[in-house]
Every structure is written in structure tokens, then in C-alpha cells.
Amino acid sequence: MGFPSITNRLPPPLKQIKQDLKAYHQPISEADLAVENRQLIHRIKNETAKRNLNNITRTEAYLDYYKQFPEIHWAFLGHMVSRNGGWNMTDLKGDLLAKILSEEEQTNFFQFLERGNWLIFQDVFPQLLLYEESKKRNTNLFYLLSCFGVSKFMEVIWNYFFGNKDTYLLAIALVINEQSYLEKRVMQHAHYKNTVLETIEFKLQDILNLNEILFPYKEGNKVKISGQSIHQFASLHERILLGKRLYQLLFDKENHPKFFTWASANRHTGSRKDYWPQLFNDINESVPGKAHHRRIKNCQLKPGSSRIYSPRLEYAWEKIDHEKAEKGDWYSNWKVIDYLKPYHQTVDGDIYDEYCETLERIELAILAKETFSTK
């Protein structure tokens, strides 16, 4: 992993974290724990597995947790990004991408997205539940994190947060942790590199700009979208910077209430109908076998056109039984803490035109494929 250059002296909080990382002790053995704590570990693992069934249950779990513990900003960020993960999963079976990708390619993409979604949850949710228990007992229990395979980086961060309550630092640390956790387990994994990341289709996805994260909100009677896009999804550095921009956008004092109100009022189903029912429907209105014709202009349907099919997740994909997460701690260099410095650039969430152009480009790609296949 390459690190941003550390050009300025570290502020006091990051100096403390650097010292704590360097002085980190060996993780505790579960066998040495008191019965009460072994029972707690078992309970947290069971609760995590229960909420880690699919994208719907994970996304709901993040929002439920944030409502209980609003100081844990990452939980809401995780919820909103996980919504996008669900939309990306169902897009593969919807009106548009299903006409570009083969069934095998659709499955490969889904497994890639689902594995990442599952891995993040099984790593982060025990951290959240352990914080909940620590608050309940008014006792720091983060020495138990190693029993869940959580990085020592996060043990140091949680210890710092429990005493200092730095909400921004914790949220960005979790962004760093989760993206770094995915790097070897998904992004550098031979299977996903061969079936997704190095395929023409993934490069096509980047060209079509499908790596957009949308945050819906209501203004008057209309649901509008804000968000960010990433063009180098395979880059860990770029994914971390994206996470920092998304956090800044989502927790802007003026806009955060709008995002939270919309998310609380609209249950996540995986269908894009959740935010734009005038453009998407979870029932397929298209005539089977009929050639595709352009239906979208400026995110509006052309007169007489049927809505874009965007299925609910439960009808698009069956549940996957995952293999256990690969062991190993991603953390190796304290310089990663430079990412914890505040992001001072203004984040422009205006993504409407870009997203509308993406939908239109996909339609053009479908027409090009159909034209080519008939020759």
C-alpha cells in the first residue's frame, strides 16, 4: 500500500495514536478470558451472523445501530454505501446491465459485490456491538477485538475514541480499516481479479461510470440525489479518499438531516424504485424479446416508455453461504494514520447530470451490442 506523503508534523491526537500503535502488545487469548467475556464473544458472533444474511439485513442493521448510537458516524455512512451496494447487485438483473452482461458475468459481479459486503459486515459489526457493551458496562472492552480477528489498528483507535470521543477520527479510521481489510481478501484475490477486476466488463463499467454512490434526499415533493463517483475502484488509496469525501458530504450540517430523514422513511429493498419510482419499477413492464429502444433522457422517461426494471434483492439473487474470512491483519505501517487528517477540500455532491448521462450511455451500449449481434 502506498501512503500519502506526511508533509506536516502530526497533530497531538495522531502522535498519541502513533505511539500506541508502536507500543501495541500481543493480543489476548480467548482461552485466558473470564467466562463472562467468553459468553459475550459468543453472543456477539451469533448476533453478527444473524444480521449478516444478505445486503438487506446488513443495511438495516447499520441504520438501526446508528439510531441507537448517533456518535458512531460510520454506521450511517455504512448504511448509505450499503444501499448503493444493493442497488448495484440488483442492477445486474435489471433492464439495462442484464442486456450487456452474460449470466456468468452477472453472477461473477454479484459474488464480487456480495463477498465485499459480507466481509465488511463480519469485521465491523462486532466492533460496533463491543462498543455498545462497553458503554453499557462503562468499561473499555476493546482488548477483546482480537478475538474477532479485528486489526490492532482498530483496537488502538477504539481505545482512543473511548476516552476522547473524536467522531470524525473514528469514522475515517473505520473507512481505512474496512477498505484495507478488503484489499487482499477481495481486490487482490486471484478469483476476483480474474473474473471481475481484470475483465473487459469491469473496465467497461469504469468507462460507463457505474461506480457512483448516490445519497437520495427529499426536497419539497421531489427526491433528489447527491453523491460522488470513483473511476479507479481497484485503487485502495482512491477508495479511502472516496470514503473521506462521502463522509464530508453525508455529515454536512445542513444536509445530514435530509439524508437521515429520507433513509429513515424509506426501507431498503435493493430496488432503485426506493428513491425514483417515476423512473424505476420492481415489476418488469417491458415486453419480453422486444428490441431495446431508448427510453431515458435527462433522467426522465420518454413519452410512452415503460419504467426501467429494477428488482428487489430478494427476487434478484438467492442467499450465498460464505466461506470464513481469511485470517491476517492488514496493518503493517503507522504512516497509514496520515489518512486521518481532516479533508479540507470542498466536496460538491452534484451528481445528477453525471448519473443521468450514465443511464443514457448504458442504453447506447445496449443498442450497440444489439446492432453488432444482428450482423
Side-chain angles (χ1 to χ4, degrees), residues 139-161:
T139 302
N140 185 331
L141 296 170
F142 298 116
Y143 62 92
L144 300 176
L145 282 172
S146 60
C147 299
F148 301 97
V150 174
S151 173
K152 62 185 178 184
F153 173 78
M154 284 313 303
E155 183 176 336
V156 167
I157 294 293
W158 278 109
N159 285 334
Y160 182 84
F161 175 78

Side-chain angles (χ1 to χ4, degrees), residues 80-81 84 87 211-219 222-229 242 245-252 254-256 258-259 262 272 275-276 347-355:
M80 294 300 282
V81 173
N84 280 266
W87 295 331
N211 294 315
E212 292 159 334
I213 306 293
L214 308 181
F215 294 158
Y217 63 97
K218 197 167 185 180
E219 197 168 273
K222 291 185 176 181
V223 174
K224 298 188 175 182
I225 55 172
S226 184
Q228 287 282 290
S229 61
L242 172 67
R245 294 196 305 272
L246 291 173
Y247 174 87
Q248 189 162 326
L249 186 62
L250 199 58
F251 284 89
D252 174 84
E254 183 179 341
N255 292 325
H256 178 68
K258 298 178 184 178
F259 295 131
W262 181 88
R272 292 188 183 272
Y275 62 92
W276 275 352
V347 177
D348 182 3
D350 185 6
I351 203 170
Y352 179 84
D353 290 341
E354 187 176 338
Y355 180 58

